[in-house]
Amino acid sequence: MTEGQKDRAGKDCRFDTVLIANRGEIALRILRACRDLGLKTVVVCSQADRQASYGTLADTFLCIGPASAGKSYLNSDAILLAARTTGAGAVHPGYGFLSENAAFSEAVEKAGMVFIGPTAQAIATMGDKIAAKSAMIAAGVPCVPGPDSALPDDRAAIEAIASEIGYPVIVKAAGGGGGRGMRVVLDAGALHESVALTREEARQAFGTPALYMEKFLEYPRHIEIQVLCDVHGNAIWLGHRDCSMQRRHQKVIEEAPAPGIAYDIIGPVAEACLKACRQIGYRGVGTFEFLYEDGSFYFIEMNTRLQVEHPVTEMTSGIDIVQAQIKAAQGIALDIAQSDVKIDGHAFECRINAEDPDTFLASAGTITALKLPSGPGIRVDTHVHAGYKVPPYYDSLIGKLIVHAPTRAEAIAAMRTALAETEIEGISTNLPLLRALFDDDGFAAGGTDIHYLEKWLKRRS
Ligand code: ADP
């Protein structure tokens, strides 16, 4: 049994076996962190992932349902049953699937296990974008101009809110996620139709028709702050990332630190985020996402989980975020203070997706040959290998290529070399797109906004 402690509610959070409720590269990443910490692992999988090679590294590898995520990776009853029967003391949800599901966090804890993530209440607060905005305002985190309350039904009242904010505005579903449930309104003429359409969408997709309205920022960058909190009220941040290179709100390339944003500019914002963490009793890792425009930060949401792009922060901070997350869940107090966090050099991450580089259609099938890069500062997080069959049922991310170098320019050069060394045959991937972006002068200059990639793709087509 590892040395553990009690949380502030007096609950014993010690565990020696972690059930990993996820798949692919992140299941392997978590498995490695557990092994490094001397913890046993139970990995659950769907029928489509039975051949996954990381299964052989787990102490127990268990199929819990058919390929359909709803019947396997999203099936909390099956996951809980697997945890109970294998004697797991904790559940790590990874990202996606059940990672931001408050009911799942609660069910895990009710079953007497530790959920490696925040409390159900913290997840629920941050999952409701209006409640999240209120919590941020209370902590002094800068938010997008607009009320932290639901839009009323009254037409005149809606019009008054929109003109108070000033067009263009954006109407967003309180329960929205994944870039869905939002609509930009350019002028008063389009206001009521946009509100009605978004409300209907919200009712159908998110189970609540609640909407809110805020200023639409026209050329922002996406900047985020990584936090790490223990269960004893200690909270630190590990630096910032720039994830502006996006297509359809999906991040393609991430980097740390964000170019051109000095620590004395973002420092006070990060301090406010830490205050928010303490106020809501946040535990574990989390990310505050901001839009950044004309020198100002505007909070848009908090992700209450480990993120795909955590490696760039690991490379620049030297802190293993997954191990730190697990130790925090065990009730162990943070053993570093904010002053111990030193950001060193520059890191990039490329998301390698199994997709057509031009049409972006998912590309499933067998990887017939695979060559991965190596050398100083190169890291590859992937579960795939030659002979691996990419199933068609899940998201298209098959691996992440990460580089770390003393400066941004050197990191770009290193990523170019690494991308040139990478070969994946048998399926289509976005490698040609990634190579072209790392040869692009605009990207190399740094500080591009969130629309840059889509405009760049349009120019190319
Ligand atoms: P989700 O939870 O669906 O990811 P977010 O609130 O994080 O929703 O917004 C997703 C994306 O939508 C942002 O990354 C940004 O591109 C765009 N967006 C959201 N709010 C605004 C805004 N006020 N102004 C401009 N763009 C916005």
Side-chain angles (χ1 to χ4, degrees), residues 129 170 172 177-179 182 214-217 249 291 301 450:
K129 293 185 172 187
I170 182 166
K172 298 169 80 168
M182 55 182 90
E214 60 189 22
K215 180 84 185 154
F216 177 68
L217 302 165
H249 303 308
L291 296 177
E301 70 168 341
I450 59 171

Side-chain angles (χ1 to χ4, degrees), residues 43 126 185 237 262 295 312 326:
V43 174
M126 291 304 153
V185 188
W237 65 292
V312 288
I326 296 168

Side-chain angles (χ1 to χ4, degrees), residues 256 312 314-318 343-348 376-379 402-407 410-411 414-415:
V312 288
E314 295 188 319
M315 303 304 272
T316 48
S317 69
I343 302 301
D344 172 43
H346 203 95
F348 281 101
I378 305 295
R379 164 174 168 185
I402 303 124
V403 303
H404 182 227
T407 63
E410 288 164 298
M415 184 61 94

Side-chain angles (χ1 to χ4, degrees), residues 100 127 129 133 144-145 168-173 175-182 184 206 212-222 243 246 248-251 289-291 293 298-303 305 450-451:
E100 291 183 290
K129 293 185 172 187
K133 196 166 180 175
V144 185
V169 296
I170 182 166
V171 178
K172 298 169 80 168
R180 293 177 313 136
M182 55 182 90
V184 181
F206 311 118
Y212 66 111
M213 190 190 285
E214 60 189 22
K215 180 84 185 154
F216 177 68
L217 302 165
E218 294 182 70
Y219 46 88
R221 290 166 62 186
H222 176 116
C243 313
Q246 303 181 0
R248 299 209 172 151
H249 303 308
Q250 298 296 314
K251 298 163 187 167
E289 296 194 334
F290 291 88
L291 296 177
E293 190 173 275
Y298 304 95
F299 170 82
I300 44 170
E301 70 168 341
M302 180 179 192
N303 287 322
R305 55 170 166 80
I450 59 171
H451 306 298

Side-chain angles (χ1 to χ4, degrees), residues 196-238:
L197 285 172
T198 315
R199 208 183 279 289
E200 197 40 44
E201 233 172 67
R203 199 191 312 272
Q204 286 184 16
F206 311 118
T208 160
L211 304 179
Y212 66 111
M213 190 190 285
E214 60 189 22
K215 180 84 185 154
F216 177 68
L217 302 165
E218 294 182 70
Y219 46 88
R221 290 166 62 186
H222 176 116
I223 307 294
E224 54 187 40
I225 291 172
Q226 173 75 56
V227 298
L228 167 62
C229 309
D230 65 18
V231 295
H232 308 286
N234 302 304
I236 58 174
W237 65 292
L238 306 179

Side-chain angles (χ1 to χ4, degrees), residues 263-412:
Y263 279 87
D264 55 342
I265 293 180
I266 198 160
V269 180
E271 285 304 323
C273 294
L274 298 181
K275 185 174 170 195
C277 288
R278 287 188 281 265
Q279 283 181 351
I280 61 173
Y282 196 80
R283 64 178 197 207
V285 299
T287 300
F288 289 79
E289 296 194 334
F290 291 88
L291 296 177
Y292 175 75
E293 190 173 275
D294 294 335
S296 297
F297 292 90
Y298 304 95
F299 170 82
I300 44 170
E301 70 168 341
M302 180 179 192
N303 287 322
T304 54
R305 55 170 166 80
L306 183 67
Q307 282 191 289
V308 175
E309 59 269 29
H310 74 274
V312 288
T313 302
E314 295 188 319
M315 303 304 272
T316 48
S317 69
I319 292 168
D320 186 310
I321 291 176
V322 186
Q323 284 190 24
Q325 178 188 30
I326 296 168
K327 286 200 269 186
Q330 288 178 310
I332 297 171
L334 279 183
D335 56 4
I336 46 168
Q338 191 63 57
S339 54
D340 299 323
V341 179
K342 299 272 183 280
I343 302 301
D344 172 43
H346 203 95
F348 281 101
E349 173 181 280
C350 283
R351 296 191 187 196
I352 301 176
N353 295 329
E355 67 189 14
D356 185 282
D358 298 313
T359 64
F360 299 101
L361 288 174
S363 168
T366 301
I367 295 176
T368 52
L370 180 72
K371 235 178 98 188
L372 294 175
S374 56
I378 305 295
R379 164 174 168 185
V380 183
D381 280 18
T382 186
H383 61 295
V384 308
H385 47 83
Y388 177 83
K389 206 168 160 195
V390 179
Y393 312 103
Y394 314 109
D395 81 20
S396 59
L397 182 74
I398 54 166
K400 305 183 309 206
L401 180 52
I402 303 124
V403 303
H404 182 227
T407 63
R408 187 171 189 269
E410 288 164 298
I412 290 178

Side-chain angles (χ1 to χ4, degrees), residues 44-61:
V44 293
C45 73
S46 72
Q47 272 163 9
D49 285 329
R50 285 184 101 131
Q51 306 307 323
S53 58
Y54 53 82
T56 61
L57 300 173
D59 293 287
T60 309
F61 187 43

